[in-house]
């Protein structure tokens, strides 16, 4: 009988192999097979030492029970990233690629205590006013528009042409963005997450949101922006800008990943290809096994403490691996029983405030796509698909597909390629952007 190894073995290609170093959650090896990394990380116990980017250390919670404890203990663990000791002490450069997502902003994600309750209640109440029938109608209209832009070709990248664009358009409508502001919101968010002139793109986004706030102060409408502004929390203009930027950016990127990851599952999993598995089931399976945000929920101990057998210092960066926690053995029975006890939406006081609209948008977008393109299939071997590297998101680089062409080529000229924010501003003054093109299409 072979002896069992006495120490956990890092996955092939892991730079931590035989070095005792922290396990990196970046690079092509991690993106290609994160589950192998999570299996290795679980061998450390409920928490494990990881590196989010070169020089950025964190403690990652991989156990479901420990994750729930952390997410629900707002007395011991705080969300305000101004407590991040390594950043405060200068151990992390301000231009490190993970800092923009983790750095403090005056929104409900980075607040604690009474301030969090006030901001969070305003966001939750405002999102709760979204009418489900309106949401379905809007999603179907945008879905039809996007399909009209590529359906005649008989092929499309469902990530770039559909999954990542649709949430941006839906949120623009829900938040009452007029054409000129909506074009800049779409450009700003896309640039931030694509990493193309990200700092300039962020400036475009915050500038556009600031104009949206000023507009709705003078001309409120039937939209989330106006409802948030009218809430009894009485948000200032600065607070409005930060909550809106959070909802628009943090809502659209994970939602695009969820749509893309679910489409990937439907197109590659024989259980759906051969037995017609329900889209709802595919969404649930994706949230369990391939959640759109793999690792996030940054927290900071308020004091030195012991947690899950690990000594943590005040201000240490502690994060939750939703993907690893979902694979905890204690959840096997829950999943078989059809439970939605996974952590894809996080948990506790900072759980996703938009999970119901997000799920509805996802199901509607996929149903409409499959109704319009019933014979759609993957255009390349599944093993050739690549996943975007990085510690936080889980999403494909592209999802090439083919199908029987539908419709005819749209009349408008193709949108010019935008290289930077300066070019974008100049081009937008001469030509309508994507949101304007949709609004024009809708009124034909």
């Amino acid at each position: 009988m072979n002896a069992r190894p006495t120490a956990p073995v890092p996955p092939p290609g892991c730079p931590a192999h035989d070095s005792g170093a922290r396990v990196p959650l970046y690079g092509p090896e991690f993106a290609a097979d994160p589950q192998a990394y999570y299996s290795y990380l679980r061998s450390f116990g409920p928490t494990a030492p990881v590196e989010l980017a070169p020089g950025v250390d964190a403690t990652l919670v991989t156990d479901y029970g420990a994750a729930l404890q952390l997410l629900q203990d707002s007395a011991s663990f705080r969300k305000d990233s101004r407590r991040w000791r390594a950043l405060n002490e200068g151990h992390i450069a301000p231009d490190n690629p993970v800092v923009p997502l983790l750095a403090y902003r005056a929104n409900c994600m980075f607040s604690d205590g009474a301030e969090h309750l006030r901001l969070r209640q305003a966001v939750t109440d405002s999102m709760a006013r979204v009418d489900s029938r309106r949401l379905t109608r809007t999603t179907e209209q945008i879905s039809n528009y996007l399909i009209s832009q590529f359906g005649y070709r008989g092929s499309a990248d469902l990530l770039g042409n559909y999954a990542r664009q649709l949430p941006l358009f839906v949120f623009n409508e829900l938040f009452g963005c007029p054409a000129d502001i909506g074009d800049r919101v779409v450009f700003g968010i896309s640039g931030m997450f694509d990493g193309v002139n990200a700092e300039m793109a962020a400036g475009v986004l915050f500038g556009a949101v600031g104009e949206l706030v000023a507009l709705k102060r003078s001309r409120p409408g039937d939209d989330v922006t106006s409802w948030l502004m009218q809430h009894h929390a009485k948000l200032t203009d600065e607070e409005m800008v930060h909550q809106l930027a959070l909802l628009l950016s943090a809502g659209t990127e994970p939602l695009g990943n969820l749509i893309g990851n679910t489409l990937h599952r439907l197109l590659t999993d024989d259980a759906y290809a051969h037995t017609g598995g329900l889209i709802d089931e595919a969404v649930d399976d994706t949230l369990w096994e391939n959640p759109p945000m793999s690792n996030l929920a940054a927290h900071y101990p308020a004091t030195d403490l012991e947690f899950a057998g690990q000594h943590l210092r005040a201000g240490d960066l502690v994060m939750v691996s939703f993907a690893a926690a979902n694979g905890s053995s204690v959840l096997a029975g829950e999943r078989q029983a059809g439970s939605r006890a996974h952590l894809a939406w996080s948990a506790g006081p900072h759980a996703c405030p938009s999970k119901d609209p997000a799920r509805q948008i996802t199901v509607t977008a996929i149903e409409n796509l499959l109704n319009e393109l019933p014979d759609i299939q993957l255009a390349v071997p599944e093993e050739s698909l690549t996943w975007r590297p990085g510690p936080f998101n889980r999403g494909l680089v592209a999802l090439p597909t083919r199908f029987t062409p539908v419709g005819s080529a749209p009349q408008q000229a193709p949108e010019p390629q935008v290289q930077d924010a300066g070019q974008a501003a100049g081009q937008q003054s001469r030509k309508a952007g994507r949101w304007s093109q949709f609004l024009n299409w809708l009124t034909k």
Side-chain angles (χ1 to χ4, degrees):
M1 185 173 70
N2 294 331
R4 298 183 62 185
T6 58
V9 178
C14 173
H17 199 97
D18 295 330
S19 70
R22 288 176 173 267
V23 180
L25 300 188
Y26 55 89
E29 295 85 7
F30 174 70
D33 192 5
Q35 291 301 328
Y37 279 70
Y38 298 141
S39 295
Y40 173 60
L41 289 169
R42 278 192 286 264
S43 69
F44 286 86
T47 68
V50 298
E51 189 178 47
L52 304 180
V56 182
D57 295 347
T59 296
L60 190 70
V61 181
T62 61
D63 174 76
Y64 182 80
L68 274 182
Q69 180 184 344
L70 171 71
L71 294 169
Q72 295 171 346
D73 187 357
S74 55
S76 302
F77 294 94
R78 306 294 170 81
K79 291 287 291 178
D80 188 336
S81 59
R82 289 174 296 186
R83 295 174 173 268
W84 189 4
R85 182 167 45 79
L87 184 64
N88 293 337
E89 294 177 354
H91 300 304
I92 299 171
D95 61 352
N96 190 287
V98 303
V99 169
L101 192 61
L102 299 177
Y104 174 80
R105 290 184 176 87
N107 60 44
C108 58
M109 179 183 289
F110 293 100
S111 58
D112 298 299
E115 186 67 2
H116 169 255
L117 291 175
R118 184 177 74 89
L119 297 174
R120 170 72 182 216
Q121 195 63 54
V123 167
T124 301
D125 291 348
S126 300
M127 290 301 298
R129 294 181 62 175
V130 174
D131 179 78
S132 61
R133 291 170 297 181
R134 172 186 172 185
L135 185 59
T136 295
R137 182 173 64 252
T138 296
T139 304
E140 289 176 344
Q141 290 173 334
I142 291 168
S143 171
N144 289 333
Y145 166 70
L146 293 174
I147 293 170
S148 77
Q149 303 301 295
F150 62 74
Y152 67 95
R153 298 198 304 260
S155 64
D157 165 23
L158 289 188
L159 261 295
N161 298 141
Y162 192 75
R164 297 187 68 192
Q165 289 197 42
L166 185 139
L168 288 164
F169 283 30
V170 172
F171 272 63
N172 260 6
E173 198 282 334
L174 292 181
F175 284 72
C177 288
D180 59 334
I181 293 176
D183 286 339
R184 282 176 285 148
V185 167
V186 171
F187 169 80
I189 293 175
S190 298
M192 286 174 63
F193 282 103
D194 289 342
V196 178
N197 295 307
E199 185 175 348
M200 296 176 69
V204 171
L205 172 62
F206 277 87
V209 172
E211 289 184 32
L212 179 62
V213 170
L215 174 67
K216 294 301 177 179
R217 288 286 187 200
S218 61
R219 296 202 304 261
D222 186 26
D223 51 63
V224 174
T225 304
S226 300
W227 300 333
L228 189 62
M229 191 173 289
Q230 296 157 3
H231 194 270
H232 60 76
K234 299 187 182 304
L235 303 186
T236 66
D237 283 359
E238 182 181 3
E239 289 173 335
M240 283 290 305
V241 168
H242 282 289
Q243 307 326 301
L244 290 172
L246 170 67
L247 288 169
L248 286 165
S249 56
T252 54
E253 175 72 7
L255 183 51
N257 287 345
L258 178 58
I259 295 171
N261 292 358
T262 305
L263 284 169
H264 167 263
R265 190 176 192 93
L266 287 165
L267 293 173
T268 60
D269 193 320
D270 289 344
Y272 302 100
H274 297 158
T275 64
L278 297 176
I279 293 173
D280 261 326
E281 294 176 359
V283 172
D284 281 333
D285 289 341
T286 300
L287 290 168
W288 274 104
E289 297 179 11
N290 206 21
M293 298 299 290
S294 302
N295 311 291
L296 200 57
H299 286 74
Y300 308 88
T303 61
D304 293 0
L305 53 78
E306 294 289 328
F307 174 75
Q310 176 78 20
H311 176 72
L312 300 174
R313 293 178 59 192
D316 279 350
L317 174 57
V318 185
M319 295 180 58
V320 173
S321 176
F322 306 128
N326 284 353
S328 296
S329 58
V330 297
L331 289 175
E334 293 275 356
R335 182 173 177 184
Q336 289 177 358
S339 168
R340 293 176 178 171
H342 57 72
L343 291 180
W345 306 115
S346 190
H350 287 272
C352 176
S354 305
K355 66 177 183 179
D356 292 334
R359 187 183 186 92
Q360 184 180 345
I361 292 168
T362 299
V363 171
T364 303
I366 294 175
E367 282 182 345
N368 200 64
L369 178 75
L370 298 183
N371 285 337
E372 294 295 319
L373 307 173
D375 63 347
I376 194 167
Q377 57 184 295
L378 200 62
V380 298
E382 180 185 357
E383 57 270 20
S384 72
L385 298 174
T386 57
W387 296 84
R388 293 159 62 192
F392 307 119
N393 294 345
R394 177 64 174 168
L396 286 161
V397 172
L399 187 59
T401 59
R402 61 176 181 266
F403 45 85
T404 301
V406 297
S408 57
Q411 296 300 309
Q412 70 265 23
E415 185 180 356
Q417 294 296 311
V418 174
Q419 300 301 322
D420 57 40
Q423 267 193 283
Q427 289 179 350
Q428 286 167 358
S429 66
R430 299 190 300 272
K431 183 182 185 299
R434 285 181 285 171
W435 179 241
S436 297
Q437 291 176 31
F438 165 68
L439 294 178
N440 289 337
W441 177 85
L442 194 61
T443 55
K444 284 180 181 179

